[in-house]
Each structure stands twice: as C-alpha cells, then as structure tokens.
Amino acid sequence: MLLPNFAEIKIPFQDRAETIGILGENDEFLRVLNDSFACRIIGRGTDLSINGEEGEVNAASQVIEALLLLYRQGTKLTMHEVRYSIKLVKAGQSNELKSLFTDVLTVTSRGKCVRPKTIGQKIYIDAIRRHSITFGLGPAGTGKTYLAVVMAVMALRNNEVDKLILTRPAVEAGERLGFLPGDLQEKIDPYLRPLYDALQDILGLEAYQKLLARNIIEIAPLAYMRGRTLERAFVILDEAQNTTPRQMKMFLTRLGFGSKMVVNGDLSQIDLPRGSGSGLTQATKILDGLEGISVIHFDDRDVIRHDVVARIIRAYDAYEAANLPSENKDKNFYKHS
C-alpha cells in the first residue's frame, strides 16, 4: 500500500504580538485551523510548524500566509477572516483570497484599513468602479451601505465627483414621519443614522461636519430628489426595497453626467403597505443586463457579523422558501450574479 506524501513547513513570526495576532488569544484561531485540516499545526514560541499529508500541509500554509499578509497590512484578525480564508482555500480559490486581501480601499480616520472581506464584496466594489449604476441586494450585515460610502468618499477625494448625496425612503415598519416628534430634520435623522455613522467612521467627525456645512455632503429623504439632475455626484440610495416603482424611476432618472449611483436594499425586509410593489424588485427585473448597470446579489456567506447571524439568515431563507406562495419566492434570492 502506498503511503501518502508527508511534508513539514515552518513559518516564523516576527514577534509575540504577531504570533497572538495570527493564532488568536488563547490559540482560538489555532484550534480552528487544526480542526479544519488533517495535519498538525503547532505553535512554539514565535514559530509555527505544520506537518502531515502534503496536500493538507500546503493548504493550511496557504491560509496562514494569507492571514499573515492581512495582519501585516494592519488588519486586526477576527474569526471571520480565519474561517473565510479556510473556506476559500478548501474550495481551491486561494488566488481569489490573495486578490481579496490586497485590495485596500482606504484608511479610516482611526487608521483602520478598509478592504473587501468576501468575494461578494469584492464583486460589488468592482461593479461600482466600472458601472454608472450599481444595485446591491442582500441581507443585513453584508457591508452594502458601508462599502458604498467608502467608494463615495474615495471618489470625492480623487476629484471624480464634487458632491456626495445619500438618501433613503422614510418608511420603517409602518410608521410615518408625521407621527414622530420634532421638526423635519429631527424626524428624518433616525432613518439616516446608518449613513451618518459610516461617514463619520471614514472621515472623522470634524472632516464630516465641515463637508456637511459646505453642502459637499448632502443627506436627505428620497422625496428631496424630485425635479433635480445630479451632475458630478456620487449618489447612494439605501433601504431601496421601501421605494415604490414610481419613486425608483424618479430617482434613477436623476442621474447626470459624471455621476454614479449605488442602490442598496434587502428584498426580504420590505416595509411598504400590504399590496404595494417594491420599486427595487421591479427595477432589478427591468434593468438587469443593461449597459452601464450592474446588479449584485449578496448571500449569507457575505454576512460580516457573528456566525450565528449567517445561520439565522439561512434558517429564515429555508423557512420562507418552504412556506411562501410561489409568486413571492422571487423576493428571496441571494446569489452572486
């Protein structure tokens, strides 16, 4: 009987901090790596030894090298990066892993490197780079809004646009603006909070407030877009599943020369009155495949939250697929185009 080829690879770390960064506090990442590959991965001081069947050893070393690259770029590793790296290497996608981890988009005001964390996010970012209008569809936690804001800030810094416009429909779980306390700005602020938070994280509070005061950043409800032509602007429509078909058509036809639009939404979270069709559902059916327009679908593999969140999404998708009438099942598609 032929014995498998055995191999050993040693990987040195620069210091104890790097060792902990790669192997995790109390070796939590190391345990996941050992559970994922049929080889022995042992840390001794600042050295890592991988030994066993050659194919498994090579696969494990590819994951470690990718994590090292990410760590040395300044990223604090989490369990997501470890598990996702393992998943891609096991699927034979180690080349995609390298391109994913080396695509640093920007650095936030707090010195954090921003980059795509999943292949779905990388596809989305590349689509925004190449197209005038990009639709991002998928569940919460996939980074749609945050990455769109990052791309908008980058376009502003590179003088590709003169203005950032962020908007969303003021519809949430059946509530209406008139029933909320305060003036108009106070009424719409809760709906726009995710956009404020993303901008402040990327720019810093002081730079954000200056751009807002100079009207270079505009954050407004969707109704304020009517009658305008948006030239040299980067425009983001968030929570677009809550637009009506009429609102969506109005918004998309505001696109002017030198502008980009990103339209994001989750078709499983429509809060429009019963019987009202979603403008996002209609638009993606009508416009998918048109030149200059891209429709990107995220799924639970792109969720950058606690592992349980991805499992919750999968469980709900399975339940809805089994129980919804067939005409409504088109609301629950989350596959990469």
Side-chain angles (χ1 to χ4, degrees):
M1 184 176 71
L2 291 175
L3 292 175
N5 293 324
F6 282 83
E8 182 175 22
I9 293 176
K10 292 187 181 293
I11 300 175
F13 299 128
Q14 292 176 348
D15 51 34
R16 178 168 167 74
E18 185 170 271
T19 304
I20 295 172
I22 302 301
L23 302 184
E25 293 285 346
N26 301 314
D27 290 340
E28 59 175 335
F29 301 158
L30 178 61
R31 285 194 293 273
V32 172
L33 289 163
N34 269 306
D35 289 343
S36 302
F37 295 101
C39 59
R40 295 181 66 205
I41 308 172
I42 303 169
R44 292 190 179 94
T46 57
D47 290 321
L48 190 71
S49 174
I50 309 171
N51 58 76
E53 193 276 319
E54 185 176 16
E56 291 291 298
V57 169
N58 288 337
S61 68
Q62 286 177 358
V63 172
I64 298 295
E65 294 291 351
L67 295 175
L68 261 175
L69 173 65
L70 195 55
Y71 178 86
R72 288 171 180 174
Q73 286 177 347
T75 299
K76 182 179 180 181
L77 298 180
T78 68
M79 191 61 78
H80 165 78
E81 282 82 17
V82 176
R83 292 191 187 279
Y84 197 74
S85 299
I86 293 168
K87 187 183 298 184
L88 288 189
V89 167
K90 282 181 169 289
Q93 296 178 288
S94 55
N95 288 336
E96 286 89 339
L97 186 61
K98 286 181 182 177
S99 67
L100 185 68
F101 284 174
T102 54
D103 189 3
V104 177
L105 302 175
T106 191
V107 178
T108 70
S109 60
R110 294 178 294 176
K112 173 187 167 187
C113 291
V114 179
R115 54 168 185 78
K117 293 187 174 184
T118 69
I119 290 177
Q121 289 189 353
K122 172 72 171 165
I123 293 170
Y124 175 68
I125 287 165
D126 288 342
I128 294 172
R129 286 168 171 154
R130 295 194 306 265
H131 297 88
S132 298
I133 299 176
T134 301
F135 290 88
L137 285 73
T142 50
K144 302 183 299 294
T145 297
Y146 189 83
L147 289 175
V149 172
V150 168
M151 296 301 285
V153 170
M154 288 174 62
L156 185 65
R157 286 174 173 169
N158 294 335
N159 296 315
E160 296 167 13
V161 297
D162 300 325
K163 189 178 182 71
L164 307 186
I165 300 175
L166 300 94
T167 184
R168 63 189 294 185
V171 177
E172 293 287 341
E175 295 183 23
R176 298 185 183 277
L177 288 177
F179 293 98
L180 296 176
D183 60 21
L184 180 60
Q185 190 61 45
E186 291 171 326
K187 289 175 188 286
I188 66 173
D189 272 354
Y191 299 101
L192 302 171
R193 177 53 53 189
L195 302 174
Y196 294 141
D197 292 344
L199 280 167
Q200 289 179 28
D201 183 55
I202 298 160
L203 292 167
L205 180 59
E206 185 178 350
Y208 161 72
Q209 289 177 335
K210 284 181 180 178
L211 292 173
L212 197 64
R214 293 165 57 194
N215 206 33
I216 292 173
I217 294 176
E218 179 183 345
I219 305 177
L222 181 59
Y224 282 31
M225 299 299 107
R226 189 175 301 279
R228 301 176 63 179
T229 301
L230 307 172
E231 306 276 357
R232 282 186 56 82
F234 197 116
V235 193
I236 299 172
L237 171 57
D238 203 29
E239 298 292 340
Q241 75 274 5
N242 289 325
T243 60
T244 64
R246 233 170 132 184
Q247 287 175 324
M248 180 61 75
K249 182 180 178 183
M250 177 274 293
F251 173 77
L252 294 174
T253 53
R254 301 306 94 197
L255 183 70
F257 291 109
S259 290
K260 277 186 181 288
M261 284 183 168
V262 178
V263 181
N264 291 325
D266 178 356
L267 292 175
S268 71
Q269 299 291 329
I270 297 172
D271 295 315
L272 292 166
R274 186 179 296 276
S276 298
S278 168
L280 182 60
T281 302
Q282 184 189 71
T284 51
K285 287 180 179 177
I286 294 171
L287 303 177
D288 194 8
L290 286 186
E291 185 177 353
I293 296 176
S294 180
V295 180
I296 305 300
H297 299 277
F298 294 90
D299 62 23
D300 58 86
R301 293 169 296 180
D302 299 303
V303 173
I304 314 298
R305 290 185 180 173
H306 196 289
D307 288 350
V308 172
V309 175
R311 291 197 286 273
I312 289 170
I313 291 168
R314 285 195 293 271
Y316 268 93
D317 283 351
Y319 174 81
E320 290 169 353
N323 291 280
L324 285 178
S326 58
E327 65 269 18
N328 291 332
K329 288 183 180 179
D330 65 335
K331 292 182 181 179
N332 300 290
F333 55 99
Y334 297 130
K335 297 186 191 262
H336 296 306
S337 57

